Amino acid sequence: MGIESEAEEQQMTEETGKLLAQFETEKSGLIPILQSVQNTFGYLPEAAMRQVADHLGMTDVQIYGVASFYNHFRFTPLGRHPVQMCMGTACHMVGGGLVLEALERSLDIQVGGITEDKEFSLDRVACVGCCGLAPVMMIGDKIYPKMTSTKVDEAMVNLKMEMEEKSD
Ligand code: FES
């Protein structure tokens, strides 16, 4: 059983079935299928991976092995506020890795994970197109320029305060 509820899993099964009907059963179609599943759900749900395996005549382990080879596939849902750390060359060169580590500590999750309250997920991404502002962090659509590890906690506290204000 995955992290989805039974009703969610059933809905995913139906949607994945419709999606798979558009693809041949050739193993070479695996990557496009996985991309399509992730575009639909925002991640690769366990149940959908099993269906993909059945569709292509492969094992779950083989599917997982291929998917986990690529950084851009994720196995947990996105949080309500997806946090993305750019790890393109420009951001990497000016300390993006340290900011990413600070984010892991601050959110208490690893890259590819989601917080228990499902508010935040954390991913590393390739260049987001504003290298002059490196290192760049994004939360949802908002860009946080010239990030440092010390700015991470401040950004998270401010965001949580904004969230509380909105919920009042
Ligand atoms: S490398 Fe980070 S914005 Fe281009």
Side-chain angles (χ1 to χ4, degrees):
M1 183 69 175
I3 48 181
E4 305 84 21
S5 70
E6 223 169 280
E8 282 170 339
E9 193 166 313
Q10 195 179 339
Q11 196 189 346
M12 280 177 176
T13 303
E14 283 170 27
E15 283 187 50
T16 307
K18 283 185 205 157
L19 183 153
L20 285 172
Q22 300 164 32
F23 288 92
E24 305 286 334
T25 53
E26 301 291 326
K27 290 184 176 60
S28 58
L30 175 58
I31 299 295
I33 290 175
L34 292 178
Q35 277 164 340
S36 180
V37 171
Q38 178 148 305
N39 288 344
T40 302
F41 302 116
Y43 73 112
L44 300 177
E46 224 178 280
M49 299 253 278
R50 284 197 297 273
Q51 282 175 273
V52 173
D54 284 348
H55 185 76
L56 297 178
M58 296 170 75
T59 65
D60 300 7
V61 174
Q62 287 172 320
I63 302 288
Y64 181 80
V66 173
S68 59
F69 181 76
Y70 296 93
N71 274 338
H72 66 274
F73 289 125
R74 53 176 298 121
F75 303 97
T76 51
L78 286 175
R80 282 182 273 276
H81 305 277
V83 180
Q84 297 183 317
M85 185 62 214
C86 179
M87 291 300 287
T89 306
C91 290
H92 179 70
M93 295 294 283
V94 290
L98 292 175
V99 180
L100 187 61
E101 282 173 19
L103 279 165
E104 286 182 325
R105 281 194 301 273
S106 178
L107 295 169
D108 199 19
I109 54 174
Q110 301 282 301
V111 171
I114 182 170
T115 54
E116 251 173 55
D117 60 6
K118 298 190 165 70
E119 288 292 340
F120 299 100
S121 53
L122 177 62
D123 286 287
R124 48 187 294 159
V125 291
C127 180
V128 294
C130 43
C131 305
L133 305 176
V136 176
M137 173 179 92
M138 291 183 70
I139 302 183
D141 293 334
K142 187 172 175 188
I143 287 179
Y144 292 74
K146 300 196 181 293
M147 281 303 291
T148 62
S149 46
T150 49
K151 280 186 182 174
V152 164
D153 282 333
E154 189 188 319
M156 297 316 295
V157 167
N158 287 342
L159 180 62
K160 283 175 187 168
M161 273 169 26
E162 278 172 34
M163 284 161 52
E164 274 168 26
E165 277 168 25
K166 277 187 193 157
S167 69
D168 287 342

